[in-house]
């Protein structure tokens, strides 16, 4: 989905935010109000970060990493003093420990105008709400590490921290510049696909429901007394909205919050994507637009739709809401990494701004930059383990090579043998070893145990639970027993991969899916070169509806773009079958650029949208300096880009290169010739792996022309010579 909803995670309020219609005067007034709530430069910045992995039952693995992700971001991008960041993790995060830390660190220390951040990563749950604020009569909770259940007056009770309690604590913080991030949920529990759910589902186990214990209710009464707030006033306020500031929840009320497995580390899917996004952003970053763009990744990859609630009330679907993330503008340049330790000419760095799709192999070159992104030195990455990288100073100002120095990607090293990782689901049962052997024998396919690393897809059989969950998600739900590919969370499927019989063997399914694997591998390689946050080329890409070109459906830009806007359209848009759309790509460089545009459907099928004349010279894809390419364009292209059903996702990939992509075009010409494709029409790629490999060869040749860093086991992509951007369109019926 693309439209964010007002969060109901802690049920401070009942319904979703209604779409607001802003007049120009409304926008001016609102922008002024948000400018006034931007924290002053001399404001103190306080943060309380809570992460719990070591639950006695149902342990998690990525919550302490979330704390580290937030801490490094707040210190190195938003200028927090490390002394003003309090971390409470694992055994420290008892009920009393969390509440004491909130009172002592945020409530007692914050002053009006200061900035305060509270982050929680851990399990969530639910208890019966005595006031029944919501239709189901439940209130969300945070589960401390010492959470216990017991009996009081014949009822099952727990010592969780209720959403009602958090409302009171927020009310007591003296500043309005408060941001609360909650990476937990209260749906389900246990494992789902390649992730664990950050929830303890007590209601399914306990008859009669679960209630807050006396200690929790007494604590609320203490705060009502301190705040001089009556019970009726408390009820009315929390049903109206959040107490103050901004609350961000990692998933909507009926979804799972993923404790996800990435390449070499575990983290909350939302926290990782959020902090990575904030590392990469240039200029001002409004929280509304940021959550919309972060949602694009969490929805596609983790089936999570983050939710947002603000005071004054925010409109998640309006570009008029300009309050910045954390009520602050970033105090440093965007970056992919930060140096954490130096010994001689060797360094260790934190790779918090790196995309999960970015393999970042050895021979990657990183630039040490100042706060204005001016290069001071070059570093070569020698190794990477999860979020930790190690490298060597190559050249430049040795004085700048120090802890705290920011690193921007300059040349990306991509392994020549990049693999497609397929997880094996327990539903394969006795066919597990058979499936593994068949996958291993396939070219560039790796079979993986779930929970042992990041996977691209999961091979499994449809179970009765799967069928129930998929109802309404896909047009045709496969029969129980059919084999095919799931997304990593198992919340969705690649529908066209389930075409075999219910008694099909795992080996036969792998054989049947060979063409699909090649297509998915090509997509994996293509995504490995996406670099909007690091490209130095100035390129913007926009999708607009024909007949209303002034209204952008989706937009994105490179770091090198001079388009600095505080209200940029999100990178994901919403379209309906029958909509006629156009892609516009602007070359903001002073040099001409070679541009290609590809479309990828929900099933992974790839189509070249531009250039559409494969018989023309390579210069046919050249777009002049300062010019805008329109795809399709009347008089040049013999087609319209009309959206068709069913519901799903269309991804648009834009490639802009300083040098011609000759090998890529040669491959396209061969495919067009064999298929009888005539010039001027989009070309469906029947041999995606060969075309993408040709593209990588072109890009490596381009890099080789500028930097002598080529090695056989690695292909290099130069951020000064290539821009690779992605936009998504969700098709809704």
């Amino acid at each position: 989905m693309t439209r964010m909803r007002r969060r109901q995670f802690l049920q401070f309020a009942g319904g979703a935010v209604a779409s607001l219609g802003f007049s120009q005067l409304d926008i001016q007034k609102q922008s002024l109000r948000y400018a006034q709530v931007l924290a002053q430069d001399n404001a103190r910045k306080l943060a309380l970060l809570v992460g719990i992995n070591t639950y006695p039952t149902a342990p998690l693995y990525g919550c302490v990493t979330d704390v580290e992700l937030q801490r490094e971001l707040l210190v190195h991008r938003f200028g927090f003093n490390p002394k003003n960041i309090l971390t409470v993790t694992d055994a420290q995060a008892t009920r009393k420990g969390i509440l004491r830390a909130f009172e002592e660190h945020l409530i007692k220390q914050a002053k009006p105008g200061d900035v305060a951040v509270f982050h929680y990563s851990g399990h969530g749950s639910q208890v019966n709400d005595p006031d029944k604020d919501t239709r189901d009569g439940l209130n969300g909770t945070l589960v401390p590490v010492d959470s216990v259940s017991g009996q009081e007056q014949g009822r099952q009770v727990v010592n969780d921290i209720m959403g009602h309690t958090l409302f009171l604590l927020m009310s007591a913080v003296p500043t309005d510049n408060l941001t609360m991030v909650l990476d937990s949920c209260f749906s389900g529990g246990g494992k789902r696909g390649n992730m664990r759910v950050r929830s303890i589902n007590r209601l399914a186990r306990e008859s009669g429901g679960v209630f807050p214990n006396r200690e929790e209710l007494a604590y609320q009464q203490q705060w009502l007394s301190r705040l001089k707030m009556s019970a009726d006033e408390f009820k009315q306020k929390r049903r109206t909205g959040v107490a103050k500031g901004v609350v961000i929840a990692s998933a909507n009320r009926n979804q799972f919050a993923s404790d996800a497995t990435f390449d070499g580390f575990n983290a909350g899917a939302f926290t990782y994507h959020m902090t990575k996004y904030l590392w990469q952003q240039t200029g001002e970053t409004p929280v509304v637009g940021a959550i919309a763009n972060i949602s694009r990744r969490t929805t596609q990859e983790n089936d999570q739709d983050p939710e947002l609630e603000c005071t004054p009330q925010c409109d998640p679907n309006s570009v008029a809401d300009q309050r910045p993330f954390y009520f602050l503008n970033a105090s440093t340049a965007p970056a992919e990494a930060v140096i954490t330790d130096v010994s001689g000419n060797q360094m260790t760095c934190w790779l918090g701004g790196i995309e999960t799709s970015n393999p970042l192999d050895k021979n990657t070159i990183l630039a040490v930059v100042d706060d204005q992104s001016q290069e001071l030195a070059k570093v070569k990455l020698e190794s990477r383990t999860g979020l930790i990288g190690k490298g060597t100073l190559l050249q430049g100002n040795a004085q700048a090579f120090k802890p705290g120095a920011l690193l921007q990607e300059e040349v990306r090293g991509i392994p020549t043998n990049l693999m497609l990782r397929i997880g094996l689901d327990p539903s394969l049962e006795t066919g597990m070893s058979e499936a593994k052997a068949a996958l291993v024998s396939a070219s560039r396919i790796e079979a993986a145990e779930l929970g042992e690393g990041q996977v691209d897809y999961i091979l499994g059989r449809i179970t009765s639970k799967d069928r129930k969950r998929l109802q309404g998600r896909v047009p045709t739900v496969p029969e129980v027993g059919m084999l095919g590919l799931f997304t990593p969370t198992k919340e969705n499927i690649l529908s066209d991969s389930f075409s075999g019989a219910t008694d099909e063997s795992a080996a036969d399914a792998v054989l049947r899916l060979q063409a699909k694997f090649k297509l998915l591998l090509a997509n994996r390689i293509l995504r490995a070169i996406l670099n909007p946050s690091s490209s130095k080329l100035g390129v913007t890409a926009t999708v607009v509806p024909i007949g209303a070109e002034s209204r952008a459906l989706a937009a994105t830009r490179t770091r090198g773009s001079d388009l600095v806007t505080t209200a940029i359209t999100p990178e994901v848009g919403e379209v309906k079958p029958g909509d006629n759309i156009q892609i516009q790509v602007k070359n903001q460089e002073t040099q001409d650029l070679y541009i290609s545009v590809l479309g990828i459907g929900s099933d992974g099928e790839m189509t070249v949208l531009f250039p559409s004349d494969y018989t023309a010279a390579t210069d046919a894809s050249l777009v002049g300096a300062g010019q805008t390419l329109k795809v399709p364009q009347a008089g040049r292209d013999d087609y319209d880009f009309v959206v068709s059903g069913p519901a799903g996702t269309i991804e648009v990939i834009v490639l802009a290169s300083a040098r011609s992509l000759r090998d890529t075009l040669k491959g396209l010409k061969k495919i067009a010739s064999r298929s009888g494709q005539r010039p001027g029409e989009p070309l469906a790629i029947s041999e995606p792996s060969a075309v993408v490999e040709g593209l990588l060869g072109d890009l490596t040749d381009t890099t080789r022309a500028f930097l002598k860093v080529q090695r056989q086991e690695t292909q290099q992509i130069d951020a000064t010579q290539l821009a690779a951007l992605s936009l998504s369109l969700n098709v809704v019926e």
Side-chain angles (χ1 to χ4, degrees), residues 671-716:
I671 295 172
S673 175
R674 283 197 291 268
S675 63
Q677 184 86 32
R678 66 188 183 91
E681 295 181 346
L683 176 64
I685 302 177
S686 57
E687 301 169 31
S689 297
V691 172
V692 173
E693 291 290 0
L695 172 64
L696 275 177
D698 279 331
L699 298 177
T700 296
D701 288 342
T702 297
T703 301
R704 190 186 299 142
F706 292 89
L707 291 168
K708 304 297 184 182
V709 294
Q710 173 71 7
R711 284 191 181 180
Q712 289 185 349
E713 71 271 19
T714 305
Q715 293 166 306
Q716 279 81 27

Side-chain angles (χ1 to χ4, degrees), residues 1 3-19 167 236-243 247-249 251-253 305-317:
M1 64 165 294
R3 293 177 65 83
M4 296 188 311
R5 296 183 298 276
R6 184 181 183 181
R7 52 167 299 285
Q8 297 177 338
F9 185 80
L10 292 171
Q11 298 129 50
F12 293 140
V17 171
S19 296
F167 184 96
Q236 188 274 329
K237 283 187 174 183
R238 68 177 186 253
R239 290 180 178 180
T240 301
V242 296
V247 178
I248 302 166
N252 73 40
R253 190 179 182 192
D305 303 322
E307 296 190 340
L308 173 71
E309 192 169 350
C310 321
T311 298
Q313 192 177 81
C314 57
D315 178 8
N317 302 304

Side-chain angles (χ1 to χ4, degrees), residues 135-389:
R135 186 175 300 175
D136 61 10
L138 301 174
N139 187 230
T141 68
L142 307 186
V143 180
V145 72
D146 63 341
S147 177
V148 293
S149 61
Q151 290 282 329
E152 289 179 0
Q153 297 179 334
R155 299 192 306 185
Q156 195 76 20
V157 296
V158 292
N159 64 338
D160 290 1
I161 300 170
M162 292 178 66
H164 293 349
T165 300
L166 285 182
F167 184 96
L168 292 169
L169 293 173
M170 291 178 72
S171 300
V173 177
T175 178
D176 291 330
N177 301 329
L178 172 64
T179 302
M180 185 174 285
V181 181
L182 305 171
D183 198 345
S184 58
C185 66
F186 39 70
S187 292
K191 294 182 66 175
R192 294 290 189 281
N194 201 40
M195 63 91 174
R196 291 179 181 270
V197 179
R198 291 183 170 182
S199 170
I200 294 179
N201 186 3
R202 299 189 181 97
L203 299 181
R205 300 200 305 262
E206 313 289 355
S207 60
V210 177
F211 294 81
N213 67 2
R214 291 194 191 97
E215 181 183 11
E216 171 70 354
L217 297 177
Y219 186 75
Q220 292 178 14
Q221 289 300 317
Q222 292 173 20
W223 272 109
L224 285 173
S225 177
R226 293 184 200 178
L227 294 168
K228 296 181 172 56
M229 188 185 301
S230 69
D232 287 341
E233 185 182 5
F234 176 36
K235 187 185 302 183
Q236 188 274 329
K237 283 187 174 183
R238 68 177 186 253
R239 290 180 178 180
T240 301
V242 296
K244 60 177 60 177
V246 171
V247 178
I248 302 166
S250 64
N252 73 40
R253 190 179 182 192
N254 299 313
Q255 291 179 324
F256 303 137
S258 299
D259 196 68
T261 302
F262 295 103
D263 187 10
F265 68 99
N266 293 83
F270 174 76
T271 297
Y272 173 70
H273 286 299
M274 179 191 73
T275 54
K276 168 187 52 87
Y277 178 87
L278 293 174
W279 269 106
Q280 297 171 348
Q281 293 311 294
T282 58
E284 298 177 16
T285 306
V287 65
V288 165
I291 294 299
N293 285 328
I294 295 163
S295 174
R296 174 196 180 202
R297 296 299 300 274
T298 59
T299 300
Q300 288 181 349
E301 298 181 14
N302 307 98
D303 300 294
Q304 286 181 228
D305 303 322
E307 296 190 340
L308 173 71
E309 192 169 350
C310 321
T311 298
Q313 192 177 81
C314 57
D315 178 8
N317 302 304
S318 170
V319 296
D321 193 331
Q322 294 300 300
R323 75 191 83 193
F325 221 105
Y326 299 137
F327 298 91
L328 294 166
N329 288 325
S331 59
T332 63
E336 278 67 60
V338 60
I339 296 177
T340 56
D341 187 53
V342 169
S343 177
N345 69 341
Q346 302 296 305
M347 67 93 190
T348 301
C349 64
W350 176 260
L351 298 164
I354 296 297
E355 292 277 357
T356 54
S357 59
N358 183 350
L360 207 68
D361 198 19
K362 59 184 178 180
N363 295 321
T364 290
I365 307 298
L366 302 169
V368 180
V369 298
D370 62 18
D371 288 347
Q372 284 71 47
S373 292
Q374 296 300 307
E375 182 177 317
L376 304 174
K378 290 185 189 296
V379 173
K380 177 184 174 184
L381 192 68
E382 304 287 358
S383 66
R384 173 188 178 186
T385 303
L387 291 164
I388 306 298

Side-chain angles (χ1 to χ4, degrees), residues 357 359 412 414 524-532 655 695-696 699 717 722-725:
S357 59
R412 181 178 303 179
I414 297 178
R524 169 78 177 92
I525 296 170
L526 192 59
R527 285 184 173 83
I529 68 173
L530 293 177
N531 66 347
L655 304 173
L695 172 64
L696 275 177
L699 298 177
I717 308 300
L722 172 76
L725 303 89

